Amino acid sequence: MSTFTVAGLAAGYQGHPVVDGIDLTVEPGEAVALAGRNGMGKTTTLRAVMGLAEPAVSAGSVRFGDVELHGKAPHHIARAGIGYVPQGRRIFRSLTVAEHLAVVARPARAGYEPWTMDRVNELFPRLAERAGQFAGTLSGGEQQMLAIARALMTNPLLVLLDEPSEGLAPQIVRQVGDIIAALHASGVGVLIAEQDLSMVRRVADRVYFLDRGTVAAQVTAAELDAHADLLERHLGVGAGHA
Ligand SMILES: Nc1ncnc2c1ncn2[C@@H]1O[C@H](COP(=O)(O)OP(=O)(O)O)[C@@H](O)[C@H]1O
Ligand SMILES: [Mg+2]
C-alpha cells in the first residue's frame, strides 16, 4: 500500500466552508481514526476525499502514493484502491446479501491476496449464513457488516469507514470493531471516522481529533490514556469513564 495523504483540504456546502485545512496521512498498513463529536466535519472530510457530489471541495490535495485523487470521479478513486463504507450503511433493502457482494466485486490487485466471496464469508460467518436473505431483513449490526463486506469486495488497499458504530449496542460495536481489526491485520489500511471511544481504541494506531472542521490534535493510540483532556473535549468522555 502507498501512503495516503490529505493536505490542506477545504470543503463545504452552498458556499459555506465546513472543513478547512485538513492535513492527515495514513501510512502503509496503518489504521487511523478521525475522531470528533457530531457536526465537526468527519463525514464531510470522507465524502470530499471520495469525490462525491457533495460537499464541494475548494482547496487541497488527496494523494495515494504518487497519484492525485482530488478532482477525480468517485469510481476512479475507488479503482485507485480506496474503499468506502458510508455513514448509515446505505445498503439496498431489496438486494440479497450475496447480491450486494456480487455486484461490486472488482478484480484482485497484484501482490495482495484477493477478497473473494469465500474469503469474505470466512471473515463474516453471520453474513454467509444469511447469503440468500434480503438485506432489509438484517439487524443493524449485520447491515454494518454487509457494508464493510461490500467495500472489501472491491479489493481496496485502504478503506474509509464512516461511523460504523452508529446506532449499535455496545456488544455489537465490539463485534464490528473485531472485524475491522481483523481486516486491518490482513493488510488493508484503515481510516475510520468515529465518536465512539471504544471503537477508536479497538481499531486505531493513531488518532486525529477534528474540531469544527480542523485537526486540533493528533496522538498515538498508546498515548490516548494520557490525554483525558482531549477525550473529554472531543469525544465527551468524562474522567473515570475513559
Ligand atoms: N448536505 C449538507 N448541506 C449543508 N450542510 C451540511 C451538509 N452535510 C453536513 N452539513 C453541515 O456540515 C457540518 C459538518 O457535518 P458532518 O461532516 O456531517 O459532521 P460529522 O460527520 O463530524 O458529524 C455540520 O454543521 C453539518 O450541519
Ligand atoms: Mg458523520
Side-chain angles (χ1 to χ4, degrees):
M1 193 189 122
S2 309
T3 299
F4 174 76
T5 310
V6 174
L9 186 73
Y13 305 92
Q14 289 93 38
H16 299 288
V18 165
V19 297
D20 194 8
I22 303 276
D23 295 316
L24 63 85
T25 58
V26 183
E27 299 296 339
E30 235 193 340
V32 171
L34 188 59
R37 296 177 189 252
N38 232 350
M40 290 302 149
K42 301 181 299 296
T43 295
T44 299
T45 301
L46 296 190
R47 289 183 59 94
V49 165
M50 286 310 292
L52 299 176
E54 285 200 301
V57 177
S58 53
S61 80
V62 177
R63 300 174 73 82
F64 198 34
D66 295 335
V67 181
E68 177 60 62
L69 299 179
H70 175 201
K72 297 251 171 75
H75 66 276
H76 277 283
I77 294 169
R79 210 171 291 166
I82 316 287
Y84 178 55
V85 182
Q87 184 166 8
R89 352 276 192 220
R90 299 293 182 259
I91 56 119
F92 304 105
R93 303 182 66 81
S94 60
L95 289 188
T96 67
V97 168
E99 285 166 348
H100 268 88
L101 305 182
V103 295
V104 299
R106 300 273 317 156
R109 288 167 200 281
Y112 292 87
E113 190 187 347
W115 289 97
T116 59
M117 205 76 110
D118 284 348
R119 187 170 173 215
V120 165
N121 282 337
E122 255 172 58
L123 184 59
F124 299 91
R126 293 166 65 128
L127 293 182
E129 289 165 16
R130 289 159 176 73
Q133 258 176 254
F134 288 115
T137 67
L138 302 179
S139 69
E142 289 162 354
Q143 290 187 3
Q144 185 62 60
M145 290 176 196
L146 179 57
I148 297 170
R150 176 177 59 186
L152 287 178
M153 289 300 286
T154 68
N155 276 294
L157 300 171
L158 170 69
V159 60
L160 314 183
L161 299 127
D162 196 351
E163 271 199 59
S165 73
E166 191 183 26
L168 304 181
Q171 184 199 346
I172 310 299
V173 171
R174 270 198 299 281
Q175 290 174 10
V176 172
D178 286 347
I179 281 169
I180 298 168
L183 71 89
H184 175 231
S186 82
V188 180
V190 169
L191 177 59
I192 180 173
E194 261 301 345
Q195 48 184 322
D196 182 308
L197 179 60
S198 70
M199 183 66 100
V200 170
R201 280 193 199 286
R202 179 75 188 91
V203 168
D205 303 321
R206 205 152 53 78
V207 183
Y208 292 97
F209 290 100
L210 196 61
D211 190 6
R212 281 160 293 157
T214 61
V215 173
Q218 82 164 282
V219 299
T220 65
E223 293 166 335
L224 269 180
D225 287 324
H227 289 281
D229 54 329
L230 292 177
L231 299 180
E232 160 86 52
R233 190 174 330 136
H234 300 295
L235 294 175
V237 180
H241 299 278

